[in-house]
Amino acid sequence: MRWSTYLQIFCVALVFVVGAQGDAAKPECSQNQPQGTDDRLKTLRSHLAQDSNNIHAYIIPAGDAHQSEYIAPYSMRRKFISGFTGSAGTAIVTRTKAALWTDGRYFLQGADELDCNWILMKAGLPTTPSQTTWLNQELPAGANVGADPFLLSINSWSSYEKALATAGHKMIPISENLVDKVWLDKPSRPDAALIAMENFYTGRSWKSKIDELRGQLRAKGTFAIIVPALDNVAWLLNLRGDDVPYNPVFFSYVIVTLDTIELYIDESKVKPANIRTHLELDNCANPHCITVKPYNQILTGIKAISDGNPTGKIWLSPRTSSFAIYNQVKPEQRYLEPSPISLTKAMKNDVERQRMRETYIQESALYCQFMAWLSKEIKSRPANLTEMSADKYMENMRWNAFKDFKGLSFATISAVGPNGAIIHYKASKKSDTKLDPDQIYLLDAGGQYLGGTTDTTRTWKFTPGTAYERECFTRVLMGQIDLARAVWPEGTHGRVIDIFARQPLYQAGLQYRHGTGHGIGIFLNVHEGPGRIAPGVPRYYEKPLSPGMFFSDEPGYYEAGKFGIRLETVVMVKKAKTPYNYEGMQFLDFEVITFVPIDIINLIDLKLMSKEQRVWLNKYNSDIRTKVGPYLKERKWDEGYNWMLEYTKPIPITDEQPPNGNSAYSSSNTVAIALVTATLMMIVNYFNRH
């Protein structure tokens, strides 16, 4: 290993370790919960014992055959078998035990939802064993571990296989999913209609995207690519669907070769005349003719492509292609690299950027109108004002206000008091809590519009916050501002600038267990790669922050049993205007596109903020007035307009700093740490290139 590799690992570890904290993983459950998974586990274990492969353990991932984050009800096998509803997490069932691994976003939720048949494994904590470490400890010598090969990516399968082999165990692909044998009332696969996207929204035709993709195939010496990721298929063909909750995608695969295009989909979806016209199915001309084939024939189609050109290379994405797909391609034909579509899709063109800006103006205006209503309602303390009723009111506002609204982009997080500490909380009939003006209220909401995907979080209190609540809120705000103000050299990954958002919290000994920024699609998935802003060891598919990428800027702070705070503003990467350009180097920064006021009335402590941060906040509030104000007036949302004016009043700008710097924050500390980290990373990159 080169010395520069050691240095790079050290740099990343330095940023991550500073923020790492938390208790050791422990088996947890609520003794008061009914043991709802008894019969399911008993039946599943009977299938393990009866399977001809003599299976000792069975892996049940959260995803579907397309490695999706959000999945349709018919794919929710892990939820069915365990009762855990979080989006991230893997269940493993042996003949005697059941365990579920999930990350810090879901520790509280997992403890609440899992019954006592299950061991909650808090992934990422020092004392929590990995899945394969636990299996190697639990299983007898030479055991067989089964999994559905469609539900694990190439990388995931390989990782399990290598780690289990060290203890003499084998990974066995089970063609018929064993959970499906237990899940007798399993829903059917959705079959919603497709939407053909106009160039007004996409900025380019699907034919031009195919041509660009074929150029990328030639550049890598490949003749075909298999596209299993649903958002990549939707983007490539300028189509949208409604098969998966919150994400406007549809079940399909595409195989693109240098000469052909094959679309594997339920054929009823492409029968409408507008879809046939959009895809030119009845009047096509090579090389843009699309052949439609049944969705379930994808493995047969892959084998035919492979057999038809036995010496050609086929591009497979290790992260989004399943092991089942991988097995259909001859070993000598496999070209493994992240799909080029993901990066192209993430770097939005000029038309897409403008549609997103417009979408966020109308979304910000709606948020103002909603908050005007909520502020008035909550002070009268009506008995029917709860987390769920507030959520439903906002959703109804969207349906009534916007013709281009197509649904929510994720399950709204409407959380009051202690519920806000559950990072991905979803109010239910069991947990639904009355809104209390004396408790902190966190609202994370977003919508799917033809022009873009929205995701906005704000935290409010309707009576004066305590000194501690104000400090926590203000430190979260300071981190959000510092990240929004960041400038960095082109080629920098998001993990390098993540420290900007965390430093104000670190200085007070506070932390949050989630990434700071995720990519966002254009009327597509609310979580989109291949860029991200988060600490930790770099992932092989991550790409540097590049112009046209949209990210959330969302630091937070959560105290179990008390409150949760998160502020989420969407930003777009753009070229920075700097007075100098060292050796011709291009620098980048962010353009803010969310314009929703911050709670400067009840939750801010100005004494903690630097002059630069206060100047930024005043400029932000001024932008809200000039950008959102006219839209509110145009819609005649007078309540929202007046509320917006109240929450965007200028705050004082002063050079006075808190005494001794004990509780104060100096933005220069963040700059120093970030610059040191960025400099070290630049040194590493220099020596790697030379």
Side-chain angles (χ1 to χ4, degrees):
M1 184 181 292
R2 300 172 63 179
W3 75 269
S4 56
T5 303
Y6 284 113
L7 180 57
Q8 186 170 16
I9 293 172
F10 168 76
C11 295
V12 174
L14 176 64
V15 175
F16 181 71
V17 171
V18 170
Q21 59 177 327
D23 297 327
K26 301 174 184 177
E28 293 184 9
C29 68
S30 170
Q31 296 293 341
N32 296 323
Q33 283 188 281
Q35 303 307 294
T37 62
D38 281 352
D39 292 340
R40 298 171 195 173
L41 288 172
K42 181 179 178 180
T43 306
L44 178 61
R45 287 180 174 127
S46 71
H47 288 299
L48 293 184
Q50 296 168 13
D51 191 272
S52 59
N53 293 292
N54 190 26
I55 301 299
H56 295 84
Y58 194 63
I59 299 171
I60 308 158
D64 59 14
H66 302 268
Q67 316 309 310
S68 308
E69 177 188 8
Y70 288 90
I71 59 176
Y74 100 106
S75 300
M76 295 180 178
R77 298 175 177 91
R78 191 223 53 212
K79 174 185 174 183
F80 168 79
I81 203 68
S82 70
F84 175 66
T85 62
S87 65
T90 298
I92 298 181
V93 178
T94 72
R95 293 183 180 182
T96 59
K97 293 183 180 180
L100 184 137
W101 281 257
T102 191
D103 61 44
R105 296 170 296 170
Y106 298 104
F107 288 169
L108 296 177
Q109 183 176 337
D112 182 59
E113 292 182 341
L114 294 174
D115 67 29
C116 290
N117 288 305
W118 291 84
I119 303 169
L120 172 61
M121 295 291 192
K122 296 181 178 180
L125 298 187
T127 55
T128 302
S130 68
Q131 297 169 35
T132 51
T133 297
W134 185 77
L135 283 169
N136 287 342
Q137 293 169 347
E138 293 290 329
L139 298 179
N144 291 329
V145 178
D148 184 334
F150 270 107
L151 301 186
L152 289 176
S153 69
I154 298 170
N155 273 355
S156 295
W157 190 281
S158 175
S159 178
Y160 281 117
E161 196 167 50
K162 290 177 182 177
L164 292 172
T166 62
H169 308 316
K170 292 182 180 180
M171 279 288 288
I172 305 294
I174 308 297
S175 57
E176 184 177 2
N177 192 286
L178 298 185
V179 175
D180 290 350
K181 290 186 175 184
V182 180
W183 197 359
L184 301 181
D185 58 348
K186 182 173 182 271
S188 58
R189 190 171 64 244
D191 189 24
L194 299 180
I195 299 173
M197 297 296 292
E198 301 173 3
N199 284 6
F200 175 79
Y201 295 106
T202 65
R204 58 188 300 199
S205 69
W206 63 263
K207 290 182 180 179
S208 74
K209 295 178 180 181
I210 292 289
D211 291 341
E212 180 179 13
L213 180 59
R214 283 172 168 157
Q216 293 164 331
L217 296 183
R218 294 186 184 95
K220 296 293 185 178
T222 60
F223 85 95
I225 184 170
I226 300 168
V227 186
L230 300 182
D231 60 328
N232 284 352
V233 174
W235 177 87
L236 184 66
L237 297 180
N238 285 348
L239 291 171
R240 301 294 187 268
D242 194 23
D243 286 352
V244 177
Y246 310 118
N247 293 335
V249 296
F250 50 94
F251 287 105
S252 56
Y253 297 90
V254 166
I255 301 178
V256 177
T257 75
L258 297 178
D259 305 306
T260 63
I261 310 167
E262 294 181 354
L263 171 61
Y264 292 81
I265 192 171
D266 290 342
E267 293 178 273
S268 62
K269 287 182 177 290
V270 297
K271 285 185 177 180
N274 68 315
I275 302 301
R276 298 192 69 82
T277 298
H278 173 79
L279 296 176
E280 300 183 6
L281 297 180
D282 301 316
N283 186 31
C284 72
N286 284 326
H288 297 111
C289 279
I290 297 176
T291 302
V292 176
K293 297 188 176 183
Y295 173 81
N296 290 329
Q297 290 185 12
I298 181 60
L299 294 185
T300 302
I302 293 171
K303 188 175 186 303
I305 292 289
S306 177
D307 291 342
N309 188 350
T311 61
K313 294 288 186 179
I314 299 176
W315 195 324
L316 303 171
S317 171
R319 181 170 172 249
T320 59
S321 296
S322 69
F323 185 72
I325 288 175
Y326 176 82
N327 263 348
Q328 289 297 102
V329 179
K330 298 179 181 67
E332 63 272 17
Q333 290 182 292
R334 298 167 183 159
Y335 177 78
L336 301 179
E337 188 175 325
S339 172
I341 297 174
S342 297
L343 180 59
T344 308
K345 170 167 57 67
M347 298 171 63
K348 279 64 176 181
N349 61 47
D350 289 342
V351 170
E352 292 173 315
R353 297 179 195 187
Q354 184 57 27
R355 296 292 86 81
M356 276 286 267
R357 291 187 185 102
E358 295 165 354
T359 298
Y360 271 84
I361 291 298
Q362 69 178 37
E363 173 81 356
S364 298
L366 178 132
Y367 209 114
C368 291
Q369 181 72 355
F370 170 79
M371 285 304 302
W373 169 83
L374 183 65
S375 299
K376 182 179 179 180
E377 285 291 306
I378 197 170
K379 290 175 182 176
S380 64
R381 300 175 183 264
N384 62 345
L385 183 58
T386 67
E387 295 166 331
M388 291 181 70
S389 66
D391 173 6
K392 191 62 180 177
Y393 189 92
M394 190 180 210
E395 182 180 355
N396 287 339
M397 282 182 65
R398 285 193 171 93
W399 285 114
N400 293 329
F402 303 124
K403 292 181 179 180
D404 63 343
F405 176 65
K406 298 301 179 182
L408 299 179
S409 56
F410 56 93
T412 301
I413 301 173
S414 174
V416 64
N419 292 340
I422 302 173
I423 296 174
H424 277 196
Y425 173 75
K426 175 69 172 78
S428 64
K429 291 181 179 180
K430 176 183 175 182
S431 69
D432 192 21
T433 303
K434 179 181 176 181
L435 267 59
D436 182 349
D438 297 321
Q439 293 196 76
I440 289 177
Y441 177 59
L442 186 155
L443 179 62
D444 186 351
Q448 293 285 7
Y449 301 86
L450 291 176
T453 300
T454 65
D455 186 359
T456 303
T457 308
R458 291 293 185 264
T459 304
W460 308 95
K461 196 171 185 186
F462 302 92
T463 56
T466 66
Y468 181 61
E469 290 171 342
R470 285 174 177 265
E471 177 173 3
C472 293
F473 177 90
T474 304
R475 289 185 181 278
V476 172
L477 173 60
M478 291 156 59
Q480 184 184 65
I481 291 173
D482 286 349
L483 181 59
R485 294 175 60 232
V487 181
W488 63 91
E490 195 169 37
T492 299
H493 287 76
R495 60 182 178 271
V496 176
I497 67 170
D498 176 86
I499 189 64
F500 281 104
R502 297 180 190 266
Q503 186 63 17
L505 289 160
Y506 284 176
Q507 290 206 338
L510 304 178
Q511 165 71 307
Y512 55 95
R513 288 192 179 105
H514 59 72
T516 300
H518 58 79
I520 299 176
I522 299 284
F523 187 31
L524 270 175
N525 294 5
V526 72
H527 295 158
E528 179 180 89
R532 61 196 289 264
I533 304 173
V537 176
R539 301 179 183 181
Y540 77 97
Y541 58 84
E542 280 185 49
K543 299 296 182 182
L545 307 180
S546 301
M549 289 183 174
F550 288 86
F551 290 96
S552 63
D553 172 1
E554 54 174 314
Y557 179 66
Y558 315 88
E559 282 207 13
K562 295 182 180 179
F563 60 80
I565 296 168
R566 182 161 66 251
L567 296 173
E568 180 178 18
T569 293
V570 172
V571 293
M572 184 189 77
V573 181
K574 65 179 181 64
K575 293 182 179 180
K577 295 180 180 179
T578 54
Y580 311 105
N581 290 93
Y582 175 72
E583 294 186 350
M585 185 179 295
Q586 177 64 58
F587 288 82
L588 305 176
D589 61 8
F590 288 125
E591 173 189 336
V592 174
I593 68 163
T594 302
F595 293 100
V596 175
I598 304 290
D599 190 349
I600 61 174
I601 295 176
N602 291 312
L603 281 176
I604 200 167
D605 184 352
L606 289 177
K607 295 190 303 295
L608 293 171
M609 298 177 68
S610 68
K611 179 180 178 181
E612 293 81 4
Q613 291 163 342
R614 282 176 273 174
V615 168
W616 187 95
L617 183 55
N618 273 345
K619 174 63 165 58
Y620 180 67
N621 284 337
S622 175
D623 286 344
I624 293 175
R625 291 188 172 206
T626 58
K627 294 177 182 292
V628 181
Y631 190 92
L632 286 165
K633 285 187 173 182
E634 179 185 333
R635 297 299 300 253
K636 297 183 180 179
W637 284 348
D638 296 335
E639 300 91 343
Y641 182 79
N642 293 330
W643 177 89
M644 178 271 294
L645 292 179
E646 181 69 15
Y647 277 86
T648 56
K649 290 180 179 178
I651 60 174
I653 303 300
T654 175
D655 293 331
E656 179 183 351
Q657 297 297 327
N660 302 323
N662 291 332
S663 62
Y665 165 73
S666 171
S667 60
S668 63
N669 291 335
T670 294
V671 174
I673 291 174
L675 285 177
V676 168
T677 306
T679 301
L680 289 172
M681 298 296 281
M682 289 172 65
I683 293 171
V684 169
N685 291 335
Y686 174 83
F687 281 101
N688 280 339
R689 290 196 305 268
H690 297 81

